[in-house]
Amino acid sequence: KNEILAILQKEQRVLVSELSKRYDVTDETIRRDLEKLESEGYVKRTYGGAVLNQNTKVDMPLRIREKTNRSEKQIIAKLVSALIEEGDRIMLDASSTSLMIAKELKDKRKLTVITNSVEVLIGHEGIQVISTGGNLNETSLSLVGNAAQKVLNGYHVDKAVLSCKGIDIHNGLTDSNELDSDIKNVMYSCADTAVLAV
């Protein structure tokens, strides 16, 4: 199902016949997968296939988001890494872009990284990683809620590195998940400098 979603992210539509050949399974197997994806709100089934549900209020899983726009995210990660100095204390959100940024930071020394990301928690020598704890959002693999916010509010950092789902000239920064958005707002308020990684 994740691979089908990844294809849909790139191509916007899939055909049952093509997917069944690609994965060497029956058309019925693919139809069942598409039915599940439709019931979860990710796709709309069409005659012979499916299209990505553009009106979804459901967040795409982190596993799918981290596979999309990889080259752009790597460029962003290198730019952000250049802004981080050795010895900095930073907050890093739980976005797919932050995963790329964390990989770029692995050669920095004496960093303290405070994050609500389950995925960023893999530390490297010279990098102290502090987890917020909190309630697990399984879609974004983020730790959210009051417990996470309380931990963040206990720190003051040099930089907060944040990403978002959209930017609008009139509405500003937007995100699709209120709990993740609340965490980003707290991170922003705890930092001397905010870095928007988009």
Side-chain angles (χ1 to χ4, degrees):
K1 289 189 333 184
N2 282 345
E3 288 185 26
I4 291 170
L5 281 175
I7 293 168
L8 279 165
Q9 282 283 92
K10 286 182 184 176
E11 300 176 13
Q12 302 302 306
R13 63 180 283 245
V14 293
L15 296 174
V16 170
S17 59
E18 290 176 5
L19 290 174
S20 63
K21 286 178 190 171
R22 180 179 188 151
Y23 296 110
D24 195 25
V25 296
T26 65
D27 287 357
E28 290 75 29
T29 300
I30 296 298
R31 282 191 196 95
R32 279 193 300 272
D33 287 340
L34 293 176
E35 283 175 24
K36 288 176 188 171
L37 289 170
E38 184 176 50
S39 71
E40 293 168 359
Y42 295 121
V43 305
K44 286 186 179 182
R45 288 190 302 152
T46 61
Y47 181 77
V51 295
L52 198 58
N53 184 1
Q54 298 296 339
N55 297 321
T56 184
K57 293 184 178 170
V58 178
D59 277 339
M60 278 290 169
L62 180 70
R63 297 283 181 238
I64 302 305
R65 288 184 288 117
E66 69 182 332
K67 292 177 184 175
T68 58
N69 302 318
R70 287 186 65 82
S71 59
E72 291 87 349
K73 289 175 186 174
Q74 287 171 335
I75 292 168
I76 292 168
K78 288 183 187 312
L79 291 169
V80 170
S81 178
L83 298 174
I84 306 297
E85 300 171 26
E86 292 194 359
D88 271 352
R89 296 160 297 145
I90 67 170
M91 289 184 179
L92 196 57
D93 72 7
S95 64
S96 56
T97 303
S98 288
L99 290 178
M100 294 278 195
I101 293 167
K103 290 175 185 172
E104 284 295 318
L105 296 177
K106 68 180 184 257
D107 294 328
K108 302 275 184 182
R109 298 287 176 245
K110 298 180 184 172
L111 281 186
T112 300
V113 178
I114 304 167
T115 185
N116 70 316
S117 170
V118 173
E119 294 291 294
V120 172
L121 291 178
I122 300 167
H124 299 281
E125 185 180 332
I127 300 178
Q128 178 185 13
V129 179
I130 299 171
S131 171
T132 62
N135 298 324
L136 177 64
N137 177 335
E138 291 184 30
T139 302
S140 62
L141 296 178
S142 60
L143 300 167
V144 295
N146 288 333
Q149 291 181 32
K150 283 181 184 177
V151 169
L152 290 171
N153 278 318
Y155 291 95
H156 183 84
V157 295
D158 301 300
K159 298 174 179 97
V161 181
L162 311 167
S163 191
C164 64
K165 299 278 176 32
I167 299 176
D168 181 82
I169 193 78
H170 301 291
N171 298 316
L173 306 178
T174 59
D175 215 307
S176 58
N177 181 297
E178 184 177 359
L179 293 174
D180 283 319
S181 180
D182 289 344
I183 291 291
K184 292 174 188 195
N185 281 326
V186 172
M187 287 181 172
Y188 176 80
S189 68
C190 293
D192 289 336
T193 302
V195 177
L196 183 59
V198 296

